Amino acid sequence: MNIVKIKNFSLGLFLFCIMGNGQSLNVKTGEGEDDKISVTMGGRIVFDGALYFDDKTPLGNGTTITDTRLTAKMTYKKWDVKIDMGFNDKKVNTKDLHLKYNINDRSWVKLGYYGEQFGLENWEGSAWQKFMTASVSTQVFGTSRQLGITYVNWNDKVYYSGGIFSDNDAISDVKEGNQGYAFIGKLSYAPLNSKKNLIHLGISAEYRTGNRNGVDENNNTQRFMNYSSNLDTRVEKKKPINFTLDQVKNQLRFVAEFITASGPFFLQGEYYNLHVNRRKEYHSYDAYGFYAQSGLLLLGDQLYKYNLEDRRLKRPKDKTLELVVRYDYTDLNDGFFSNESLKGGRINDFSAGINYYLNKYIGFKINYSYLSLGNNNNFGTKENINLLQGRVLVVF
């Protein structure tokens, strides 16, 4: 029994060391060079602190661990498996659970639970986002993780993908009624991609039936959609926008995107548009939002680089200091009807930040945000909020 315990402890310590160094463990399964399983362990820990000023709504200053992840990746020949679990708010949360088949070095198919390819910022990894959170527009109009299948193909100029997904309840499957479904497609084009200069254009579109919300007295599935955002922070849990739309038949949304970069400078933006069809006795609903963000590399790395496989900017090199600014406008007020007013709130948001990439494992962020909340927000009153926050990020 003691020998078994010692072996288990040794194995656990060995795997922990692998996790800490982000290395892979290769296990031979046959005679061929590629007859092996490669296992990589990793994760992240995010420490955040926030201070709020001039707020009418009581907001809690403080510090917390906003994200803790443990990740396992396994590769066998052309097959990849990823298991990513989150541990926050005293809960275990499913992040990514998927199986991926690499058709060749420029196309693949993925099946499982993961984020849809919709826009740019929506599926940017939270570990190296330019700010503490995605923009309000991306939070409101973007998509969350869903159960589905996606096909992707790309070359030096063109990138396209298409997928079929279920609704938000598929991973837990606790509500009555028929699950909803969605079709989503993405197309991007890089007419200029040289060593120092980049132009990227793209568009994504989605058709979704809505999320199921039980059944009515006639056993018909009821559907709804929820649109929400935080205050550019994960410390304070109150949401200035948290709008639920019922009697949904389906929704159409699209996002147009662009990136341009030249040497140590980049500019990125997205425009979102949403249209929701509801049951015939209810008005349809429209909303929109956009953001633009820019960055400048001050010290260290002096060149933004482009990732062809992800169609996003790469993380700057080690020991690099970056200045970033962002403006966001989100409008969920659609009330131009004689019999009904659909108003979810409006937010103007300006943010500025400094990011320091010490190495590929550790980063630091300082953000300032000014948020102007318009009529019909979830707090019930117009107000302006100033926010200062910092982050220490550990990725292993």
Side-chain angles (χ1 to χ4, degrees), residues 47-338:
F47 305 90
D48 281 1
L51 295 172
Y52 299 88
F53 305 93
D54 301 328
D55 52 294
K56 298 178 184 178
T57 301
L59 302 172
N61 303 326
T63 60
T64 188
I65 298 176
T66 56
D67 195 10
T68 305
R69 303 274 190 94
L70 289 178
T71 304
K73 298 178 181 179
M74 291 160 283
T75 300
Y76 176 71
K77 294 186 177 181
K78 290 189 174 185
W79 297 91
D80 297 332
V81 175
K82 181 179 180 181
I83 303 173
D84 189 22
M85 305 299 292
F87 304 86
N88 291 97
D89 300 325
K90 299 181 180 180
K91 298 177 182 178
V92 178
N93 301 307
T94 303
K95 297 301 181 180
D96 291 320
L97 296 172
H98 60 72
L99 173 67
K100 179 181 175 184
Y101 178 72
N102 298 288
I103 301 171
N104 52 49
D105 60 354
R106 295 203 171 191
S107 64
W108 48 259
V109 176
K110 185 187 292 185
L111 171 68
Y113 183 72
Y114 53 92
E116 300 174 15
Q117 292 201 335
F118 184 79
L120 283 170
E121 196 180 34
N122 181 74
W123 60 296
E124 177 68 71
S126 60
W128 299 114
Q129 284 179 340
K130 297 301 183 182
F131 294 87
M132 301 290 188
T133 68
S135 65
V136 173
S137 288
T138 298
Q139 293 181 57
V140 170
F141 299 110
T143 64
S144 59
R145 288 177 172 86
Q146 313 284 355
L147 186 62
I149 184 170
T150 299
Y151 170 75
V152 169
N153 198 315
W154 75 91
N155 56 40
D156 290 345
K157 295 291 185 181
V158 179
Y159 178 104
Y160 60 91
S161 67
I164 304 173
F165 291 86
S166 62
D167 68 16
N168 286 347
D169 186 52
I171 193 68
S172 57
D173 199 26
V174 296
K175 294 182 179 179
E176 293 185 280
N178 299 318
Q179 284 186 8
Y181 59 88
F183 299 99
I184 189 167
K186 178 181 175 67
L187 174 66
S188 68
Y189 176 59
L192 175 62
N193 181 20
S194 64
K195 184 177 180 179
K196 293 185 178 181
N197 298 288
L198 167 71
I199 296 177
H200 163 108
L201 304 170
I203 187 168
S204 304
E206 182 203 53
Y207 170 88
R208 178 174 291 278
T209 59
N211 299 317
R212 60 178 170 177
N213 194 28
V215 296
D216 61 18
E217 62 277 7
N218 297 317
N219 207 37
N220 296 318
T221 302
Q222 297 292 296
R223 303 198 179 277
F224 79 103
M225 292 300 300
N226 177 262
Y227 310 99
S228 66
S229 75
N230 58 39
L231 287 162
D232 287 349
T233 180
R234 298 180 183 177
V235 176
E236 172 57 63
K237 301 300 184 183
K238 292 186 177 71
K239 294 181 177 292
I241 286 182
N242 192 12
F243 181 55
T244 298
L245 197 63
D246 62 3
Q247 305 300 328
V248 170
K249 289 177 59 180
N250 54 66
Q251 76 167 13
L252 301 170
R253 59 181 160 185
F254 80 88
V255 53
E257 64 190 50
F258 77 90
I259 308 173
T260 182
S262 181
F265 169 83
F266 90 91
L267 177 64
Q268 174 179 312
E270 296 183 83
Y271 171 81
Y272 295 89
N273 191 279
L274 170 72
H275 176 78
V276 181
N277 293 307
R278 304 168 74 203
R279 293 179 180 272
K280 61 182 180 180
E281 62 268 31
Y282 296 89
H283 290 293
S284 60
Y285 174 75
D286 293 278
Y288 72 97
F290 65 88
Y291 78 87
Q293 65 184 26
S294 180
L296 181 66
L297 300 174
L298 301 176
L299 298 174
D301 193 3
Q302 293 295 299
L303 181 65
Y304 281 106
K305 299 179 181 63
Y306 186 55
N307 188 327
L308 277 175
E309 183 175 358
D310 287 340
R311 258 25 185 210
R312 294 175 288 182
L313 294 178
K314 294 182 179 180
R315 170 192 169 278
K317 292 183 178 179
D318 297 350
K319 298 181 180 179
T320 294
L321 185 68
E322 178 185 42
L323 173 67
V324 289
V325 293
R326 179 176 71 191
Y327 174 75
D328 177 275
Y329 179 82
T330 304
D331 190 351
L332 273 74
N333 290 334
D334 184 0
F336 300 101
F337 304 108
S338 59

Side-chain angles (χ1 to χ4, degrees), residues 14-27 36-44 69-76 79-85 96 360-361 395-396:
F14 178 62
L15 290 176
F16 178 80
C17 291
I18 292 174
M19 287 172 55
N21 290 283
Q23 297 174 354
S24 297
L25 173 66
N26 296 317
V27 180
K36 63 182 179 181
I37 296 176
S38 179
V39 181
T40 304
M41 303 295 292
R44 79 182 64 153
R69 303 274 190 94
L70 289 178
T71 304
K73 298 178 181 179
M74 291 160 283
T75 300
Y76 176 71
W79 297 91
D80 297 332
V81 175
K82 181 179 180 181
I83 303 173
D84 189 22
M85 305 299 292
D96 291 320
K360 63 181 179 181
Y361 302 114
V395 177
F396 53 89

